[in-house]
Amino acid sequence: KDVDTLPCLQRLFLSFNHISSFEDILCLADSSSLSDITLDGNPIAQETWYKHTVLHHMMQLRQLDMKRITEEERRMASIAARKEEERKRESHKQSLLKEKKRLTIGNIARQWEIQQNRIALEASLNRDKENEPCQINGSAAYVFPEESRSLDTILSSAVQGLSVLESHLVEVEGDTLGLYGAGALECLDRNWSVQTAGIIATVSFMFIEFDEIVQVLVKLKTKFPNCVHLKFKETNLVALQQFNALAEMHRMEQLTVDPQGNPVVNFTLWKYYVLFRLNHFNLQKINGVKITENDIVKAERLFGILAYVASSELPHYRMLSLFGESRRKQFHYLLEGKGKKSGVGSEETSDNRRSGGESTARATLNYMTKDFHMEKLEEIKERKTFCQTYVENLVKEAADINMKNESLQKLWPQMFIELVRDAVIEIRNKNSYMKLCLQRITDQKQ
């Protein structure tokens, strides 16, 4: 310490003094008179950065460890020092990015948890409204409005506190595209470069409702043609029929469904249903476990009858909507004359498997999101109302016609007698009747 304050110091010998950190001698860089220094025999002299660092910080030196310093060595030291600084800055930048990513994912996870708690609370309140107060140990249990309001206030304040961070994250790492949070799905509308889109082989979804993912599957297979692996974590996969939606993908070799946030994996047979429904993809692995031929056979035995029942119950017009043009012709051919029903025969299924397409029977097992289901219900309700009104009008019109017919039947005998009587009276005098007819013809011509 304070050696740099010696105004006439030119040579300093510090060999073999157990100096292990350059910071311990960094104050020597401020000495303008120092021209010769020895540091050999110290731990820092064994480091790869030793010479470059010393020369970079002590530009006034002429000799180091009893050796004259050349201009080339100074230049190389300067270059090495710049590279070291850049490396440190890049390392620091990466550390900041990693920390930001960690905080953002943590924020997304907390928002997801708050959302799930809110949904569970609303469902619970709705059930309590619909049902009578349930008996617990003989006494009535109620959800008090004050309690629900306080919890709702807590959840809202928590969301406001988290809004300072990003609510979604899109990350490309190697051949994997990671999507965190519902807002990340909007990235599929970007103009991805052909090179970047081409290398994406795995797409990972986290903290996104599966029903929202279903709506972008078509974009996914269009944007990333080489995507063969889908990962789901915290996506609310709760029912086997949700896997039907994955049939829209162009191709798929691997599927990973994390148990966290996906209750469907608690079903014993979920993997076999996936194998059965996505049979046309020839899946290689599910959750990292290789698929065997026995697994495929077992899946067919377990769920084959399900596809048969579904396709048997489906109306013909619905079946036709699932086919391409060539398949429609085949379907009509089967219906017209060859004794087959609605394209569910084993021959047709095996043909599809050989051609790599999805079988008709399996195609009848589709998935409808909640929003789409509600839209369908509204549409069905409107159609029902229209049909009911139309039928009521037809019934009313038929009833009016029937009443008129009954009235005519009652009045017709008397009317017939009067018509005959008037006709007889009219033609009783032949001459006057002829004059009357001629007069009518004349009037018509005029």
Side-chain angles (χ1 to χ4, degrees), residues 179-194:
L179 304 176
Y180 302 81
L185 296 177
E186 296 176 3
C187 79
L188 298 178
D189 293 324
R190 294 180 189 169
N191 293 323
W192 291 80
S193 68
V194 177

Side-chain angles (χ1 to χ4, degrees), residues 2-251:
D2 298 329
V3 175
D4 57 302
T5 60
L6 299 174
C8 298
L9 177 67
Q10 294 183 3
R11 308 182 71 191
L12 181 62
F13 300 91
L14 294 173
S15 303
F16 299 96
N17 278 292
H18 299 291
I19 300 172
S20 57
S21 173
F22 184 74
E23 280 70 21
D24 295 338
I25 59 170
L26 190 57
C27 63
L28 297 176
D30 297 329
S31 175
S32 59
S33 60
L34 186 64
S35 62
D36 187 356
I37 190 172
T38 61
L39 293 167
D40 56 312
N42 292 294
I44 61 169
Q46 306 300 320
E47 301 290 345
T48 55
W49 47 262
Y50 162 66
K51 192 170 186 179
H52 293 154
T53 304
V54 172
L55 294 182
H56 177 67
H57 286 87
M58 302 180 187
M59 299 296 291
Q60 76 279 22
L61 288 181
R62 296 182 181 277
Q63 289 194 132
L64 174 63
D65 296 333
M66 307 299 289
K67 293 180 181 178
R68 188 168 184 79
I69 300 168
T70 65
E71 288 302 319
E72 180 64 18
E73 287 176 326
R74 291 185 191 279
R75 192 179 67 81
M76 294 301 295
S78 179
I79 293 173
R82 280 201 302 272
K83 287 183 178 179
E84 182 65 19
E85 287 295 323
E86 290 175 1
R87 188 191 65 79
K88 286 181 179 179
R89 281 198 297 270
E90 185 63 26
S91 177
H92 182 62
K93 181 181 176 182
Q94 292 300 323
S95 298
L96 290 177
L97 289 175
K98 285 181 181 179
E99 182 63 15
K100 183 180 179 181
K101 175 186 173 182
R102 186 186 68 80
L103 292 173
T104 301
I105 292 175
N107 174 49
I108 295 169
R110 286 190 292 273
Q111 285 186 335
W112 171 263
E113 186 177 355
I114 289 169
Q115 180 187 351
Q116 298 309 304
N117 290 339
R118 188 187 296 278
I119 292 172
L121 176 63
E122 290 175 354
S124 175
L125 291 174
N126 289 334
R127 282 196 300 270
D128 290 338
K129 287 178 183 176
E130 293 171 0
N131 302 328
E132 292 295 323
C134 58
Q135 296 292 325
I136 301 177
N137 296 330
S139 61
Y142 296 89
V143 175
F144 293 99
E146 292 81 3
E147 293 181 3
S148 63
R149 278 201 301 271
S150 62
L151 180 56
D152 194 57
T153 304
I154 292 170
L155 294 177
S156 299
S157 62
V159 170
Q160 290 172 0
L162 294 171
S163 61
V164 295
L165 293 173
E166 295 288 340
S167 59
H168 65 271
L169 177 67
V170 179
E171 178 188 38
V172 177
E173 189 171 354
D175 65 349
T176 300
L177 171 65
L179 304 176
Y180 302 81
L185 296 177
E186 296 176 3
C187 79
L188 298 178
D189 293 324
R190 294 180 189 169
N191 293 323
W192 291 80
S193 68
V194 177
Q195 184 178 2
T196 304
I199 65 172
I200 299 297
T202 302
V203 178
S204 175
F205 300 96
M206 286 184 66
F207 307 111
I208 308 174
E209 285 285 347
F210 184 79
D211 283 3
E212 296 181 17
I213 297 172
V214 170
Q215 299 172 17
V216 301
L217 286 177
V218 175
K219 294 180 184 176
L220 194 67
K221 71 177 183 180
T222 305
K223 292 281 185 179
F224 309 108
N226 296 323
C227 176
V228 294
H229 186 188
L230 294 184
K231 292 182 176 181
F232 299 95
K233 183 177 181 180
E234 292 285 2
T235 56
N236 271 345
L237 268 165
V238 297
L240 292 178
Q241 58 263 36
Q242 287 176 293
F243 289 115
N244 297 340
L246 300 181
E248 294 184 23
M249 290 295 293
H250 177 66
R251 55 190 284 217

Side-chain angles (χ1 to χ4, degrees), residues 398-415:
D400 291 342
I401 292 172
N402 187 56
M403 288 177 64
K404 291 178 181 178
N405 189 37
E406 288 180 356
S407 300
L408 179 63
Q409 292 299 326
K410 290 178 182 179
L411 296 173
W412 177 247
Q414 184 63 31
M415 290 173 63

